[in-house]
Amino acid sequence: MRDYYEILGVERGCDDSALKSAFRKQAMQHHPDRNAGCEEAAGRFKEINEAYSVLSDPQKRAAYDRFGHAGVNGQGGFGGNGQFHDVGDIFNEVFGDVFGDMFGGRGQRQRGGPARGNDLRYDLEISLEQAYAGAEVEITVPVTMTCEPCEGSGAKPGTSPTQCSTCHGAGRVRASQGFFSIERACPRCGGSGRMVLDPCVECRGAGQIRKTRTLAVRIPSGVDDGARIRLAGEGDAGMRGGPRGDLYIFISVTPHELFERDGLDLLCTVPVPMCVAALGGEIEAPCLMGGADCDGACKIEVTVPEGAQTGKTVRVKGRGMPSLRGPQRGDLVVELFVETPTRLTARQKELMRELADLCSEQQHPKAAGFTGKAKKFWDNVTGQA
Ligand SMILES: [Zn+2]
Ligand SMILES: [Zn+2]
């Protein structure tokens, strides 16, 4: 499978508008209507659509950037079977009026009938603590609402809209667009087929008003970076009695100072003094589980085994992230970092020297193994010269 960025001819880090215009250009060029019967063009067209449908979706794009095709295959509707259901939607979004009708543009462009309101996106950043425990967060969202005094008609209460004289109520007019002759929304009435002669004062004839709404969003415990929460019916108001759109909350979790999340596990690197690492002992590690489990202090004792090295991990069961799907929990994975003491006093240095004299090679198996390999390497080098 070819690289999606290569298919569209864009740079990896390109922004949405560059992506969109590249897609527009490519799709125009390889559109089946312009290349009747050409299988290569049809294949290219399919490829272009697939690439764009992934890269234009921030979540899928992030997955693709990290894992390549494996990251986006087999996710709802994007199977490896080359099916994609979003072609119509993508075309409506990118080409709007020009192509919308060709793909049977749903709902939004029906003549004068009810139309569903827009879906909205809200980006919400939360802390790892909030993701761990779950939270209720208040957000304010600008949203269009149906105007109450005129009940969405746009006409002054007591009056009603009249038929549009340009399209005679049809909501469409025929027009030529380059190589296409297509029907498009009537520019005078905006496709509604109706005109308001005496507009409602509240909404100035629009039938809708913009409002800022405050909503309480419940963040479920265990939510991960990149998750999406759908609030049905909290998007923009529909037109002419159509249903409201949905609101999608895109969650991003702020990187934490101490923890890194890996699936359900939480990773934390803890420095261990050299002597504790050598002798073994207890160290304190942070954990996110507060409450009765650790006297609300969010810390936990971790046993360092005798002779622990940097990079050694100690797993504390059940102290990781909770799962969204059930009662299971990840682990806290403590990675040890052995720290050599600095600024030693004369007495400490003396003890250290004494210790060094008493240490044997067998007590540093890594160093011994390394010395062996290095010696072989040097022998080889001098042998060849
Ligand atoms: Zn009209
Ligand atoms: Zn109104």
Side-chain angles (χ1 to χ4, degrees), residues 1 4 50 54 60 63-64 67-82:
M1 218 189 252
Y4 286 151
E50 190 180 316
V54 169
K60 286 183 190 139
Y64 180 73
F67 309 113
H69 291 289
V72 288
N73 282 340
Q75 276 180 13
F78 281 84
N81 54 8

Side-chain angles (χ1 to χ4, degrees), residues 163-173 185-195:
Q163 200 183 70
C164 167
S165 53
T166 299
C167 63
H168 306 291
R172 332 240 76 199
V173 288
C186 168
R188 184 145 190 226
C189 60
S192 69
R194 285 175 292 184
M195 301 273 296

Side-chain angles (χ1 to χ4, degrees), residues 146-157 199-209:
T146 302
C147 174
E148 275 174 27
C150 67
E151 291 168 337
S153 77
K156 194 172 176 180
C200 159
V201 187
E202 195 74 22
C203 63
R204 296 201 203 105
Q208 297 189 324
I209 46 166

Side-chain angles (χ1 to χ4, degrees), residues 24-59:
R24 221 180 236 264
K25 213 174 97 195
Q26 297 272 3
M28 283 290 252
Q29 196 183 335
H30 299 282
H31 197 282
D33 283 7
R34 285 188 97 180
N35 303 274
C38 175
E39 282 203 2
E40 200 196 322
R44 282 280 286 147
F45 187 66
K46 206 166 115 176
E47 224 179 26
I48 293 159
N49 273 299
E50 190 180 316
Y52 184 72
S53 63
V54 169
L55 297 185
S56 60
D57 179 312
Q59 242 182 318

